[in-house]
Amino acid sequence: MSDFDIPTLKENIDRETVESVLALDVDKYKYGFETIIESDKAPKGLSEDTIRFISAKKNEPEWMLEWRLEAFRRWQTMEEPTWARVSYPEIPYQDTYYYAAPKGATGPKSLDEVDPELLKTYEKLGIPLSEQKILAGVVEDGEGAEQLASPYSGNVAVDAVFDSVSVVTTFREELAKHGIIFCSISEAIREHPELIKKYLGSVVPVSDNFFATLNSAVFTDGSFVYIPKGVRCPMELSTYFRINEKNTGQFERTLIIAEEGSYVSYLEGCTAPMRDEHQLHAAVVELVALDEAEIKYSTVQNWYPGDKNGKGGVYNFVTKRGDCRGKNSKISWTQVETGSAITWKYPSCILKGDGSRGEFYSIAISNGHQQIDSGTKMLHLGKNTSSRIISKGIAAGFSDNTYRGRVFAHPKATNARNFTQCDSLLIGDTCGAHTVPYIESRNATAVFEHEATTSKISDDQMFYCLQRGLSEEEAVALIVNGFVRDVLQHLPMEFMVETQKLIGISLEGSVG
Amino acid sequence: MNVQTPIRLTAAEESLAAQLESVGAGDAAVRFREAGLPTRRVEAYHYTDLKVLLSEVPPLAEAVAGTGAPVFDIPGAYRIVVANGVMQNAGTAPAGVITGKVGGSTLTMRDDTVVRLNSALVKEAVNIELAGSVDPVIHIDRRTDGDAAHVATGSKITVAPGARATVIETVATSDAGHMGNLGTYVALGEGAEVTHIVVDLSATQATQFSTLEYRIDANAKLMSIVIQAGANLARAQIFANFVGEGAHGDFFGLNLIDTDQHRDITLDVTHGVPNTTSTELFKQIGRGHGKGVFQGKITVAKDAQKTDAKMMSQGLMLSEGAEILTKPELVIFADDVVCGHGATCGDLDETWMFYLMSRGIPKAEAETILIRAFLEEIVDAVEDEALGEALSGIVDGWLAQGA
């Protein structure tokens, strides 16, 4: 750690904390390699022709093309949002490629068909695909499953998205036995049009916001998951996104549907090469949880953050929303945000079903010239709905780290409950940490609590822990991070090490 | 897509623009016609969309003689009456107090529509200079009489170093759709100690905007209290700036909301220098279909190390239709600070109710006890006994209305 300039610290900040954050320094971005692979690209720029090109490349039915064109027309009338605490030069939408696909990657069915260069890329990324032989064996004959027994949650099924195209999806047959559909969204559009028509755009409408509408027009791939009634998905589902091509945007679209009584845990990870120019990533993720269903969605976002002078880096403008449509359904978002030059992201829950529950756990670390404006929305519409928000922002370098969240109770949301806690830690005096919660209650029986200091965990919880012999600090760490840790332990091995570094960060010295 | 098209002005906006023109504020009128009243897209007005809420603007006020008994009586106070925006002759000022008039608005220009209107429309403001230890409470009694009128008024309160004083400003109107725009500037010299209270008691048809601006110098101590218990549409905005080390501010606010009222308190505190501290406590209580808004922003500048700021906002909803909207906000650029905020909203705690009722207290009374306890925390902060009692009277009045 000797090569870091450690700023002067106030007494009660743990030195290890500071070193952990500095270790994530932008210069040390280890995923910054580029893979030279031939690729098919759409003509630069955005027009109806580009969209027709994308749609044709994907062999999409006519209704899908119409859907995209309508989105594009809407997008042309919209203005880029400016309310977030981020600043960036104008994005040259007409100077970007909206479609780039590794050549010959129009839908390989097994790893053997995948370009070896690509597999090397994943190897470098250290994603489970590096266990490709075993994985491939399982896909082919189903025998290797036992060899995969790991101390974690068992097997991981992977959908890998390279630039704009899903290149490989593993474990499909195994999943199919349970009736689970896990494939790229392009495939789902062709093979499961009834599900796509019913659910696509039902959580994030086409005209939701500037970036979501852009995504609706030009999305090129992403993952599709369907868990049938009563099925508990036997393994983690996972997607790895990688932007490789120069001047491309990545616009993936993910749709997860959990039928009545089902359960799924889904993980996404993202990386990109180091480049001088900015790359745009505008994804849309839609989750639908029906009666008694549960979806856990975890993200480890590590897009290239730009160099130490703020040059380059990914603009991560993402719309993620889950719809707890059924009674007693549950959606839980966990995010570890360390990458991207700019993050603009608010994974949200619409708590429509009576008794439904939304959770948001976030660790956002910014360094260098990164800007993060992230948080969540918990919209309580049904009766007896509950939500919990735990957000930790850590700012270092010249970065700005903003938590922005909204908790809302509809007049009919009787007995809605929310607990929110957001903590920020600043390291050095050249960065900023900000908290902007919107707390809107339209129902007298709704009880909302919002805390933004580490010392203000509910007295009851503290009392409980303290009288059992824990120190105050241990108690705080236990209460605040307890559930986060629990969720993060479901992440695959590869991300555990990195994530644990973040989890190890001390709670001391926090500001609101 | 990016071409700016002229906005469509509402009837209220047309009236305001015409009023600006009628007082010779041409530039302000041009600017106003371009931007109009703030909508929810303007972050500071996110919950108070004036374009929608302000449907009518009464004509500019004409001077009338203000006489009669005060609407809000504080025994022993030195009273300055301002009738329809015009300061009346006050009695002999107590020791340490100099009163007079100052031309134009007293507010610092900032990018805010209400402030801009105040700046353009105020002809003269009350000027008060305070020195030494001022014994009686100073009461600026503002009244608007007669038919519905638009009154833009202001005060400038300058407190000499080391001085101590309590100043209360009340706004009351006759039963008509008046619109008030009050702008008060309070400067605290080094080591000064000031309690400054603003109470809105306008008629329920009225609209009241109040902008309070504080400049707090080294080692000065401010207590600011805002109580909104009058107008149908009310917004109090408080801008406080700590400019000297060792200064401290306590900010309190109370929104008493009923029927279809919309009451907004927006607080913006800037800790610009090191070693300053502040506490903020704002309470809102809603009945009927009332809507209460609290926005509280604490900004800590890069150099303002050792800032300690704690903000709490609490909302209590007593009816199904009530709404409480809260936005506490922290903007922090210094690393060695202790800043925090807490926010709660809900209805009366069932366990407390059970506790009281199990001891034989009837339900209605138990409710009143709990509500009073909730509200009085603000009023109890006032040291002056007579003033504290007068303020308690406002809370009692509000409770009695709902009984």
Side-chain angles (χ1 to χ4, degrees):
Chain A
M1 300 276 172
S2 57
D3 49 344
F4 302 130
D5 281 340
I6 296 192
T8 322
L9 299 174
K10 71 185 227 203
E11 297 152 16
N12 59 346
I13 292 181
D14 190 16
R15 193 169 186 85
E16 208 174 304
T17 299
V18 176
E19 285 174 357
S20 303
V21 171
L22 292 175
L24 295 164
D25 191 42
V26 287
D27 276 355
K28 306 284 185 292
Y29 191 69
K30 63 176 178 178
Y31 304 107
F33 55 84
E34 178 186 357
T35 311
I36 308 296
I37 265 184
E38 268 194 281
S39 74
D40 268 344
K41 279 191 279 198
K44 225 180 207 181
L46 190 51
S47 65
E48 293 206 0
D49 288 342
T50 317
I51 290 159
R52 285 177 206 282
F53 176 91
I54 294 169
S55 190
K57 271 277 170 197
K58 319 249 31 109
N59 289 327
E60 283 177 358
E62 187 63 26
W63 59 265
M64 196 63 230
L65 174 64
E66 274 311 310
W67 198 81
R68 287 172 179 278
L69 289 173
E70 197 197 312
F72 177 64
R73 285 165 205 146
R74 286 298 287 267
W75 181 74
Q76 285 174 305
T77 66
M78 295 169 91
E79 281 183 31
E80 210 166 319
T82 53
W83 44 261
R85 187 181 272 278
V86 295
S87 62
Y88 51 89
E90 209 174 317
I91 297 173
Y93 290 101
Q94 293 303 344
D95 199 27
T96 300
Y97 290 107
Y98 288 85
Y99 179 83
K103 257 197 179 142
T106 46
K109 295 291 177 257
S110 76
L111 288 175
D112 297 342
E113 291 177 32
V114 177
D115 189 328
E117 278 294 312
L118 237 147
L119 290 177
K120 271 186 206 158
T121 302
Y122 290 121
E123 226 174 271
K124 285 185 211 165
L125 294 174
I127 62 174
L129 273 171
S130 60
E131 298 172 285
Q132 49 190 284
K133 281 179 192 166
I134 305 168
L135 284 174
V138 172
V139 171
E140 280 154 18
D141 54 28
E143 281 172 10
E146 281 171 35
Q147 301 170 26
L148 271 174
S150 75
Y152 303 97
S153 54
N155 309 331
V156 180
V158 180
D159 182 23
V161 178
F162 198 81
D163 281 333
S164 308
V165 169
S166 172
V167 289
V168 62
T169 311
T170 62
F171 274 117
R172 289 168 58 156
E173 287 172 25
E174 175 76 16
L175 291 169
K177 280 182 205 161
H178 298 272
I180 295 167
I181 306 170
F182 180 37
C183 61
S184 72
I185 198 130
S186 329
E187 220 174 319
I189 290 168
R190 289 192 300 269
E191 288 168 26
H192 307 283
E194 69 297 340
L195 289 173
I196 296 290
K197 276 185 188 170
K198 186 171 175 189
Y199 291 107
L200 191 72
S202 73
V203 185
V204 179
V206 170
S207 55
D208 190 78
N209 68 68
F210 184 81
F211 297 113
T213 307
L214 175 64
N215 174 288
S216 300
V218 302
F219 77 87
T220 37
D221 223 327
S223 303
F224 174 78
V225 178
Y226 175 81
I227 315 289
K229 190 172 167 181
V231 171
R232 193 179 164 88
C233 186
M235 60 185 81
E236 304 275 341
L237 301 185
S238 177
T239 301
Y240 291 88
F241 295 104
R242 170 94 183 153
I243 300 178
N244 193 60
E245 272 300 318
K246 216 171 176 176
N247 290 330
T248 52
Q250 175 148 333
F251 304 93
E252 86 264 2
R253 185 117 194 165
T254 299
L255 175 59
I256 300 178
I257 303 149
E259 286 277 6
E260 193 180 327
S262 64
Y263 167 85
V264 62
S265 171
Y266 184 92
L267 173 91
E268 80 178 359
C270 343
T271 59
M274 290 171 26
R275 290 194 185 285
D276 283 351
E277 79 276 10
H278 296 288
Q279 287 167 299
L280 177 62
H281 173 248
V284 172
V285 175
E286 295 178 278
L287 313 182
V288 180
L290 299 172
D291 287 0
E292 316 279 343
E294 179 177 348
I295 302 176
K296 267 186 185 178
Y297 194 105
S298 316
T299 305
V300 178
Q301 186 267 105
N302 199 4
W303 295 115
Y304 177 53
D307 71 8
K308 64 178 175 186
N309 298 316
K311 200 171 182 194
V314 172
Y315 290 162
N316 190 32
F317 299 151
V318 178
T319 307
K320 292 185 171 184
R321 198 171 300 153
D323 189 356
C324 287
R325 219 167 271 187
K327 64 175 170 33
N328 299 326
S329 55
K330 179 177 167 186
I331 288 178
S332 170
W333 297 98
T334 304
Q335 61 172 26
V336 180
E337 301 281 324
T338 60
S340 293
I342 299 176
T343 301
W344 181 97
K345 177 182 173 187
Y346 314 91
S348 310
C349 296
I350 303 169
L351 303 167
K352 219 180 276 171
D354 290 349
S356 59
R357 178 166 175 82
E359 290 172 352
F360 175 76
Y361 302 101
S362 169
I363 297 172
I365 299 190
S366 59
N367 202 351
H369 287 266
Q370 280 177 283
Q371 303 172 56
I372 296 180
D373 195 304
S374 182
T376 183
K377 278 191 272 190
M378 292 292 172
L379 308 176
H380 293 260
L381 306 180
K383 291 182 178 59
N384 301 315
T385 50
S386 60
S387 62
R388 169 180 282 244
I389 300 169
I390 308 280
S391 167
K392 278 174 66 66
I394 296 150
F398 296 91
S399 66
D400 266 299
N401 199 326
T402 305
Y403 166 83
R404 189 184 301 276
R406 180 172 178 223
V407 178
F408 168 84
H410 188 268
K412 287 183 180 155
T414 313
N415 293 326
R417 291 283 182 275
N418 167 266
F419 173 77
T420 300
Q421 169 139 18
C422 29
D423 299 316
S424 317
L425 177 69
L426 291 105
I427 299 172
D429 60 3
T430 51
C431 50
H434 321 296
T435 315
V436 193
Y438 297 73
I439 305 153
E440 306 168 8
S441 179
R442 302 205 157 137
N443 185 302
T445 61
V447 175
F448 290 170
E449 291 172 273
H450 175 101
E451 297 181 355
T453 51
T454 46
S455 56
K456 277 211 70 186
I457 287 173
S458 113
D459 292 345
D460 289 354
Q461 287 174 318
M462 282 303 285
F463 178 73
Y464 184 89
C465 294
L466 293 178
Q467 61 134 309
R468 271 154 185 78
L470 295 179
S471 74
E472 196 166 329
E473 204 175 304
E474 284 168 336
V476 170
L478 184 74
I479 295 163
V480 176
N481 265 350
F483 201 90
V484 184
R485 189 182 291 260
D486 192 41
V487 172
L488 290 173
Q489 275 168 356
H490 289 276
L491 296 176
M493 177 66 171
E494 284 76 8
F495 284 131
M496 276 301 285
V497 180
E498 192 160 336
T499 308
Q500 270 170 347
K501 269 191 201 167
L502 310 180
I503 286 295
I505 285 165
S506 153
L507 287 167
E508 287 179 14
S510 293
V511 295
Chain B
M1 187 160 92
N2 292 320
V3 180
Q4 212 157 25
T5 46
I7 61 158
R8 243 176 111 117
L9 296 183
T10 62
E13 287 170 332
E14 286 289 357
S15 309
L16 284 168
Q19 289 181 2
L20 288 170
E21 281 152 7
S22 75
V23 298
D27 290 351
V30 169
R31 185 156 182 194
F32 184 80
R33 282 187 185 280
E34 278 168 9
L37 286 165
T39 65
R40 66 191 307 278
R41 286 179 172 274
V42 176
E43 191 61 25
Y45 288 83
H46 186 70
Y47 294 122
T48 303
D49 187 326
L50 290 184
K51 202 177 179 87
V52 172
L53 291 168
L54 194 66
S55 52
E56 247 180 289
V57 174
L60 285 171
E62 287 179 20
V64 293
T67 49
V71 177
F72 186 76
D73 191 26
I74 306 151
Y78 168 64
R79 195 149 57 87
I80 301 165
V81 176
V82 180
N84 283 23
V86 180
M87 185 177 165
Q88 313 291 300
N89 288 329
T92 315
V97 181
I98 301 170
T99 60
K101 292 177 184 177
V102 55
S105 170
T106 60
L107 295 174
T108 307
M109 204 38 150
R110 63 180 74 230
D111 188 16
D112 179 282
T113 307
V114 168
V115 171
R116 276 203 293 270
L117 287 170
N118 185 278
S119 299
L121 295 172
V122 171
K123 285 185 197 146
E124 58 173 42
V126 175
N127 189 37
I128 300 179
E129 288 168 31
L130 303 168
S133 189
V134 179
D135 270 344
V137 169
I138 295 163
H139 179 192
I140 306 176
D141 180 359
R142 294 175 191 279
R143 308 162 184 186
T144 306
D145 288 322
D147 295 336
H150 178 190
V151 183
T153 57
S155 325
K156 183 177 184 186
I157 301 167
T158 312
V159 187
R164 291 171 61 116
T166 299
V167 181
I168 176 166
E169 300 186 61
T170 56
V171 177
T173 69
S174 59
D175 279 345
H178 298 288
M179 181 167 131
N181 187 335
L182 166 66
T184 294
Y185 178 87
V186 184
L188 279 73
E190 281 188 24
E193 277 185 40
V194 172
T195 298
H196 180 241
I197 303 167
V198 174
V199 183
D200 174 34
L201 298 164
S202 309
T204 50
Q205 307 94 311
T207 296
Q208 177 64 33
F209 300 112
S210 307
T211 305
L212 317 180
E213 195 179 335
Y214 297 106
R215 185 181 187 278
I216 309 155
D217 215 328
N219 300 316
K221 211 174 153 196
L222 168 73
M223 180 189 287
S224 161
I225 303 176
V226 170
I227 298 175
Q228 300 202 107
N232 191 51
L233 168 61
R235 174 172 162 108
Q237 34 187 24
I238 304 151
F239 300 99
N241 202 357
F242 288 92
V243 296
E245 288 197 36
H248 175 79
D250 291 312
F251 300 88
F252 296 100
L254 193 53
N255 254 350
L256 301 167
I257 311 143
D258 210 337
T259 57
D260 291 321
Q261 293 155 359
H262 181 114
R263 303 253 163 88
D264 174 339
I265 298 182
T266 293
L267 172 75
D268 189 336
V269 176
T270 304
H271 289 269
V273 293
N275 295 309
T276 57
T277 54
S278 68
T279 66
E280 291 81 13
L281 177 61
F282 287 81
K283 298 207 177 198
Q284 310 197 69
I285 185 161
R287 216 161 44 192
H289 283 81
K291 190 185 276 191
V293 176
F294 171 69
Q295 303 184 100
K297 179 157 129 184
I298 297 175
T299 304
V300 179
K302 190 181 161 209
D303 298 326
Q305 299 292 2
K306 306 281 180 197
T307 293
D308 187 334
K310 289 187 184 67
M311 177 158 65
M312 185 67 195
S313 63
Q314 295 175 321
L316 186 56
M317 285 182 281
L318 301 176
S319 69
E320 268 185 21
E323 278 181 44
I324 299 286
L325 309 170
T326 312
K327 193 180 88 177
E329 191 175 345
L330 292 170
V331 180
I332 295 171
F333 294 100
D335 56 345
D336 188 8
V337 299
V338 183
C339 286
H341 60 227
T344 60
C345 64
D347 55 2
L348 288 173
D349 192 312
E350 277 173 34
T351 52
W352 298 343
M353 283 296 288
F354 178 76
Y355 179 90
L356 293 173
M357 287 166 71
S358 70
R359 273 147 187 82
I361 297 169
K363 188 165 182 260
E365 202 177 316
E367 280 174 1
T368 308
I369 289 171
L370 291 177
I371 294 168
R372 195 185 296 273
F374 176 78
L375 299 176
E376 296 244 313
E377 202 180 342
I378 302 285
V379 174
D380 285 350
V382 178
E383 265 180 36
D384 187 282
E385 212 168 299
L387 181 56
E389 262 176 44
L391 294 175
S392 287
I394 297 172
V395 172
D396 290 342
W398 188 83
L399 286 170
Q401 274 168 26

